[in-house]
Amino acid sequence: MNSHVNHLNLSLPAAITQLVAAPLAQCNQTELPAVVGDLLCQLVDNGLDALPLPGEGDTLQRWRALAAVAGLDLSLAKLFESHTDALAILAQAGEDDLPHLALWGVWCAESPQAVLKVRPLARDETGHDRLLLDGEKHWCSGAHVVSHGLISYRDAQGRSCLAALDLDQEGVQVIDDDWMAVGMAATRTARLQLKNAVARPIGSPDFYLQRPGFWQGGAGIAACWFGAATALADTLREQLAQRHDEHALARLGSTECALHAAAQCLRAAARWIDRNPATDAMRLTLRARLTVEAAAQQSINDIGAALGPRPYCADRRTARLLADLPVFLRQSHAGRDLAQLGATCLDTEHTPWQL
C-alpha cells in the first residue's frame, strides 16, 4: 500500500478520510494491525500529522482531525493521536530538530511493577544530554510500528521526567505478552524491556505534567471518543432511514441529545483553550472528557437496543468500533475524574452553573 493522497483544497478531516477509509474498509481483522501501521506511515508521509497545536488558535480543527480518524478505526486513531501528541509535547519543549518522518508514541503510564532506573551519560557530539535507561515500560501502544517514543520516568527526587527514546537500538526489546484484549488489538500494545538504552531528556523535571498542554492534550482524547460515537450514531441513522420503528427512533433521539451536548462541550473547550493557552485547563478537560465518555456509552447502548445484534455481527467497521470503543474509553479514570471535577465546583463562592 503506497497511495499518495492529493489533499489540495480538501479540509484536513476530508484529506485524512480520503487516504485511509478505503484500505480500512477492505481489510479483515487479521490484516488490520499491518494496515493500521502502514496507514500511520502514510498519514505522516503525506504531512497529515501536521495538526494545529493546542492553544494556538485552531484547536477545534485539531480535534476534528482526530475525530475523523477515530470514526474510521480506533486503533489507528490511538496511534495517530499519540504521534501528534508527541509532536505537540516536543514543540512545547522547544525541540525543533526532529528525525525526518519519525513516528512517535507517548508512553507515560507508570506502575510499581515497571520502574525505570536512569543514569546520566556523557553528552553526545551535538551537545545534548543523554541518559541510560534500565527496566521496563508497560502499555506501549504501537511499539512495533513507531520509531521513537516519549517515555516518563522518575528522577532521584521523585519528580516526573520525560525522555525521547530511539527504538532502533540494541538496548530496546519490544515484548508482546500482556495485551489480552480483543478491543484495540490492532494497536499491538506491548511492553518495552530496556537495558542500557540511550535516551535524551526532554524538558525540565515535571515539565510533562505541569505544562498547559497536558490537560489540552487530554481533551484531544475525548475528540477521538466523540468521533467513534458519531460513527455509531451515523450507522444507526442510516439504518433507521429505511424503516419506521418508534422504539428505535427513540434510541436515535437519545443518541442525538447525548452527542449534541458532547459536541457543544468540545467546541466550548476548544474556544476557551485558544483564548487561554497558558491557563490550567484541568476542570474544562475533565468536564469535556466525562461528558463525551457518557455520550459514547449512550451511543453504544442505543445502537444495540435499536438494531439488535446486527451492528455487532454484520458490518465490519461498526463491529470493530463496538469492540474497540469500550476499551479506549477506559483511558478515562471514571469515578476518580468525577470526584476531581466535583472538587473544582467547590472552588468558587457563587454557583458555577449559569445560563
Side-chain angles (χ1 to χ4, degrees):
M1 222 186 304
N2 58 0
S3 61
H4 192 87
V5 64
N6 178 12
H7 51 79
L8 189 66
N9 297 325
L10 290 178
S11 69
L12 189 53
I16 289 170
T17 300
Q18 183 188 76
L19 177 68
V20 308
L24 285 170
Q26 294 162 6
C27 76
N28 59 37
Q29 198 66 24
T30 303
E31 299 166 333
L32 187 60
V35 171
V36 163
D38 187 73
L39 288 174
L40 180 65
C41 292
Q42 289 191 45
L43 286 167
V44 174
D45 290 348
N46 281 275
L48 297 175
D49 61 334
L51 306 187
L53 294 175
E56 293 200 354
D58 208 358
T59 299
L60 186 59
Q61 176 74 344
R62 177 183 182 87
W63 293 353
R64 283 173 174 160
L66 296 175
V69 181
L72 296 166
D73 184 82
L74 278 173
S75 289
L76 178 59
K78 171 66 175 174
L79 302 191
F80 183 67
E81 186 282 328
S82 185
H83 168 76
T84 54
D85 187 38
L87 297 182
I89 294 167
L90 290 163
Q92 290 159 5
E95 299 281 341
D96 53 10
D97 185 18
L98 304 180
H100 183 56
L101 296 182
L103 300 176
W104 289 86
V106 179
W107 303 318
C108 293
E110 297 180 355
S111 73
Q113 292 76 36
V115 177
L116 289 177
K117 297 179 181 178
V118 182
R119 291 170 287 151
L121 190 63
R123 290 185 173 182
D124 64 18
E125 62 277 4
T126 65
H128 288 114
D129 291 332
R130 295 189 298 168
L131 306 167
L132 282 180
L133 305 181
D134 290 281
E136 290 191 346
K137 195 67 176 174
H138 292 184
W139 308 105
C140 298
S141 296
H144 287 281
V145 176
V146 304
S147 59
H148 294 73
L150 292 180
I151 62 174
S152 64
Y153 66 93
R154 297 281 171 172
D155 67 8
Q157 290 74 43
R159 297 173 296 184
S160 178
C161 301
L162 199 63
L165 177 71
D166 185 340
L167 273 64
D168 186 18
Q169 54 178 300
E170 289 185 4
V172 178
Q173 186 177 4
V174 181
I175 301 174
D176 276 317
D177 64 1
D178 62 352
W179 185 255
M180 307 300 174
V182 174
M184 304 296 287
T187 63
R188 296 192 66 188
T189 297
R191 61 188 171 97
L192 297 183
Q193 198 167 78
L194 307 178
K195 185 175 182 181
N196 291 329
V198 179
R200 185 160 62 87
I202 300 295
S204 57
D206 287 329
F207 156 76
Y208 173 70
L209 295 177
Q210 292 183 357
R211 65 197 169 88
F214 176 77
W215 287 108
Q216 296 167 0
I221 297 290
C224 294
W225 301 341
F226 181 80
T230 58
L232 294 179
D234 280 338
T235 297
L236 177 55
R237 188 171 62 91
E238 290 162 7
Q239 290 293 315
L240 295 186
Q242 303 168 23
R243 69 188 201 195
H244 183 76
D245 181 329
E246 289 293 336
H247 168 73
L249 284 172
R251 287 292 184 165
L252 181 58
S254 168
T255 292
E256 150 69 8
C257 290
L259 288 180
H260 179 76
Q264 293 296 97
C265 194
L266 285 171
R267 291 188 193 110
R271 287 194 300 268
W272 190 93
I273 286 170
D274 285 335
R275 289 197 301 262
N276 305 275
T279 305
D280 183 358
M282 180 187 71
R283 182 181 183 189
L284 178 96
T285 294
L286 288 172
R287 184 169 57 230
R289 283 170 62 101
L290 289 160
T291 300
V292 175
E293 180 188 0
Q297 296 283 15
Q298 191 66 52
S299 298
I300 293 170
N301 292 337
D302 285 335
I303 194 172
L307 302 180
R310 180 176 177 80
Y312 291 87
C313 309
D315 180 79
R316 183 179 294 154
R317 175 191 173 201
T318 305
R320 280 206 297 253
L321 286 172
L322 285 165
D324 290 345
L325 185 53
V327 179
F328 201 172
L329 286 172
R330 294 288 38 90
Q331 197 163 339
S332 164
H333 299 124
R336 282 180 292 169
D337 282 352
L338 281 168
Q340 191 173 9
L341 178 60
T344 69
C345 297
L346 306 177
D347 293 341
T348 176
E349 185 177 335
H350 304 290
T351 176
W353 307 292
Q354 298 181 29
L355 288 176

